[in-house]
Amino acid sequence: SWGRALLVALGITVALAALVELYVRNLPGGFVWAGEGALAMMLWVAFLGASMATYEKAHLALEFGQKLWPAGAAHVVRAFAHAVTSACCIALLLLSVHSLGQHHDSWEAAGGHGSTLQTLTWMPLWVVYLIFPYVFAAMGVRLLAQTYTIANKIDEAPKEQLPT
């Protein structure tokens, strides 16, 4: 009923207000690391999602070439586009390994304490960056395999196509 819904809404509002009051009284500075921690987690989720999309063949692709070339050459154009994308992923893999090494070296030089992030002192920055070499290696290999299968016309359609 309407009265019951109003009481539930009022109860939830009072509970939330009490939680905010407890938070403000006990942690006046708040969680100072929350913003950078959220950004680090967002990087992991986004890049793991990109890797999964490549695995499922649901990734973004350079498709404009398919419209410009004759149908008989479409597989060659698609294979070339995948090869270029794979090469970019492999280049980013090499750069990410170098960057990861630099951040790990600076962390070790500081005695292995804290982070180079401003407020995320409980996690070294190199741990945040561990996602990059894994994802770029996985995507590079997957795209290279797709290049081969597309060029040889043995590629399979993705298992589940979403409507466009």
Side-chain angles (χ1 to χ4, degrees):
S1 71
W2 184 83
R4 179 180 239 169
L6 182 64
L7 285 175
V8 169
L10 183 62
I12 290 172
T13 303
V14 168
L16 286 174
L19 284 173
V20 168
E21 181 66 24
L22 285 172
Y23 172 75
V24 170
R25 284 185 188 269
N26 294 325
L27 295 166
F31 295 111
V32 292
W33 52 266
E36 289 178 349
L39 285 173
M41 289 185 280
M42 185 178 65
L43 278 175
W44 276 72
V45 169
F47 278 88
L48 285 174
S51 177
M52 289 170 47
T54 309
Y55 174 77
E56 295 171 356
K57 297 181 182 178
H59 53 84
L60 296 176
L62 304 172
E63 295 177 348
F64 68 91
Q66 296 176 32
K67 310 276 191 251
L68 299 174
W69 298 94
H75 72 285
V76 175
V77 173
R78 283 184 58 218
F80 179 73
H82 276 70
V84 169
T85 308
S86 178
C88 289
C89 287
I90 291 168
L92 288 169
L93 164 66
L94 297 173
L95 289 171
S96 66
V97 167
H98 176 72
S99 177
L100 184 62
Q102 293 292 323
H103 284 92
H104 188 268
D105 290 346
S106 67
W107 176 76
E108 278 190 341
H113 298 290
S115 170
T116 53
L117 290 173
Q118 294 293 325
T119 55
L120 197 57
T121 57
W122 52 272
M123 180 187 298
L125 188 57
W126 66 268
V127 173
V128 174
Y129 290 162
L130 279 174
I131 191 64
F132 296 122
Y134 163 74
V135 167
F136 289 129
M139 289 173 59
V141 169
R142 288 174 183 153
L143 288 165
L144 197 57
Q146 290 176 23
T147 299
Y148 175 80
T149 59
I150 291 169
N152 291 303
K153 297 183 179 181
I154 56 174
D155 63 316
E156 295 178 7
K159 290 184 172 61
E160 183 178 314
Q161 287 280 348
L162 297 175
T164 56

